[in-house]
Amino acid sequence: MGILMSKSMDANLQKQQEFMLHNSRLQMERQILMQNQMRERQMAMQIAWSREFLKYFGSFFAVATLGLTAGAIKSRKVGMMAPIVPLSIILAYQMDNAYGTLIYRMRGEAENIMASEHDRLDLPLGMPTFESIEKARRAKSALISLLEK
């Protein structure tokens, strides 16, 4: 009788472990999907911000270029048009950021860094561990309890 009960308990334990493993995988997949959706939304907001900024900066650039050109023609000083050069570089960067291939070049460079220069990505003091997090939590809770007294 004990052997039959033991086999039944082992089978139930095995099923429960498989169920827990399945649930943990599901939870991890959902968390990965959620984090990816949040990352996509943040990137979309950054691109939208770049496009909105480009509208304002483009307007400023047009007005500044017209004003500097008119001033240079009126005063006959070509040097007044010098600010157009750095402003046009900034405009080109913003256009590339908002509508061009900058994001793809940045992604390629990031992939290159992750593949060939991975040591640059190491965290100071290494990867956080459960023990280091618990130590910090205990220190903070001890500090809070001292402040409450």
Side-chain angles (χ1 to χ4, degrees), residues 31-83:
Q31 186 176 11
I32 290 170
L33 286 171
M34 182 187 69
Q35 288 176 347
N36 191 49
Q37 284 184 1
M38 292 302 293
R39 182 192 60 81
E40 288 174 348
R41 290 174 185 182
Q42 289 172 343
M43 287 184 70
M45 285 297 293
Q46 288 177 338
I47 293 168
W49 183 90
S50 294
R51 290 178 179 177
E52 191 65 25
F53 180 79
L54 180 62
K55 291 175 189 173
Y56 287 96
F57 188 78
S59 300
F60 166 74
F61 178 78
V63 170
T65 302
L66 288 174
L68 289 170
T69 304
I73 292 172
K74 191 173 185 178
S75 67
R76 299 180 191 259
K77 293 182 182 177
V78 181
M80 286 187 70
M81 294 181 66

Side-chain angles (χ1 to χ4, degrees), residues 12-143:
N12 283 342
L13 180 62
Q14 182 69 24
K15 285 180 183 178
Q16 187 176 11
Q17 287 176 340
E18 289 174 6
F19 178 73
M20 289 173 62
L21 180 64
H22 177 71
N23 272 348
S24 64
R25 282 186 180 165
L26 253 172
Q27 185 178 8
M28 183 172 288
E29 286 175 9
R30 286 179 179 145
Q31 186 176 11
I32 290 170
L33 286 171
M34 182 187 69
Q35 288 176 347
N36 191 49
Q37 284 184 1
M38 292 302 293
R39 182 192 60 81
E40 288 174 348
R41 290 174 185 182
Q42 289 172 343
M43 287 184 70
M45 285 297 293
Q46 288 177 338
I47 293 168
W49 183 90
S50 294
R51 290 178 179 177
E52 191 65 25
F53 180 79
L54 180 62
K55 291 175 189 173
Y56 287 96
F57 188 78
S59 300
F60 166 74
F61 178 78
V63 170
T65 302
L66 288 174
L68 289 170
T69 304
I73 292 172
K74 191 173 185 178
S75 67
R76 299 180 191 259
K77 293 182 182 177
V78 181
M80 286 187 70
M81 294 181 66
I84 293 175
V85 174
L87 289 175
S88 62
I89 292 171
I90 295 170
L91 181 67
Y93 171 78
Q94 289 299 329
M95 288 176 65
D96 191 22
N97 191 17
Y99 294 103
T101 60
L102 178 68
I103 191 75
Y104 302 114
R105 294 191 313 267
M106 287 173 52
R107 183 180 303 136
E109 186 62 27
E111 289 171 356
N112 182 39
I113 290 168
M114 291 179 76
S116 61
E117 302 176 44
H118 200 271
D119 60 321
R120 291 180 178 250
L121 304 176
D122 292 340
L123 292 171
L125 301 175
M127 183 71 84
T129 62
F130 179 77
E131 290 80 19
S132 66
I133 293 169
E134 277 298 300
K135 183 179 177 183
R137 185 190 63 79
R138 285 187 188 124
K140 186 176 180 180
S141 65
L143 179 64

